[in-house]
Amino acid sequence: MGLFTIFERETVYFKDETGIIELESCPTGGIICTKPLSFINKKMRTSRTYWLNKDYQRAIEELKIAYHKTFEITESNCQSCAELFRSTIIKSLEAIHDDLLKMTSGIFKANRFKPSLELSSSVLAEIKAVK
C-alpha cells in the first residue's frame, strides 16, 4: 500500500508542468536558457514516465536528446548552469543504468532488459566522451 502511494505521487509529480530542473538564481534572470530549459524539463519528465513504465530504451533516448540540447546554451556566463543540467541528466542515466544492471544480473535476472542495458552503457560512454 505504501509503495503504491509513493508511485502514485511520483507519477502525478512528473505529469504536471513543474520543472525537474528549476533556476533559483541566475545572473541573466533565466532569459537566455528559458527555451532550452523548458525543452530539457519536458524531455526529463517524459523520460521519467517511460522509466516508471519500464520502457527503458525510450527513457534513455529522451535523456540523450535532453543532454544534447544543453549544448545550445552557449553564453559564457551560462556555462555553469548548462553543466549542472548535464550532470543532472547524467545522474538520471546512471540511475536507469544501475536499475538495469540489477535486473539483468543475479538469480532472478531478466534477459529482456539486456538490450536496454547495452543502450544505457553506450549512451553513457558517448556522453562522457563528449563531456
Side-chain angles (χ1 to χ4, degrees):
M1 182 87 172
L3 290 176
F4 179 74
T5 306
I6 291 170
F7 177 79
E8 185 177 35
R9 268 190 242 129
E10 284 185 1
T11 303
V12 170
Y13 173 77
F14 287 105
K15 282 187 179 179
D16 67 14
E17 294 302 313
T18 60
I20 292 174
I21 301 172
E22 293 183 357
L23 296 177
E24 290 189 11
S25 66
C26 177
T28 63
I31 295 169
I32 295 169
C33 65
T34 300
K35 286 183 182 180
L37 182 57
S38 174
F39 180 85
I40 292 165
N41 275 324
K42 181 179 178 187
K43 290 295 182 184
M44 289 187 74
R45 280 192 306 273
T46 304
S47 173
R48 181 68 177 180
T49 301
Y50 285 137
W51 184 11
L52 291 172
N53 292 321
K54 301 211 183 303
D55 189 348
Y56 296 103
Q57 292 196 355
R58 285 185 177 171
I60 294 164
E61 289 298 328
E62 292 293 311
L63 289 173
K64 182 179 175 182
I65 293 167
Y67 184 83
H68 289 294
K69 186 72 169 181
T70 63
F71 290 101
E72 291 182 13
I73 304 169
T74 57
E75 288 71 17
S76 60
N77 49 332
C78 296
Q79 288 310 299
S80 61
C81 289
E83 186 57 39
L84 174 69
F85 303 161
R86 286 190 278 275
S87 69
T88 303
I89 294 166
I90 289 172
K91 286 178 185 173
S92 293
L93 276 168
E94 288 172 340
I96 291 172
H97 182 76
D98 290 345
D99 278 356
L100 290 167
L101 274 174
K102 290 174 189 171
M103 290 188 294
T104 56
S105 61
I107 297 171
F108 301 108
K109 65 182 172 185
N111 289 327
R112 67 186 173 121
F113 294 117
K114 286 227 184 246
S116 297
L117 177 62
E118 291 169 5
L119 178 63
S120 70
S121 295
S122 68
V123 169
L124 277 169
E126 174 189 328
I127 282 175
K128 288 181 179 179
V130 171
K131 195 176 182 187

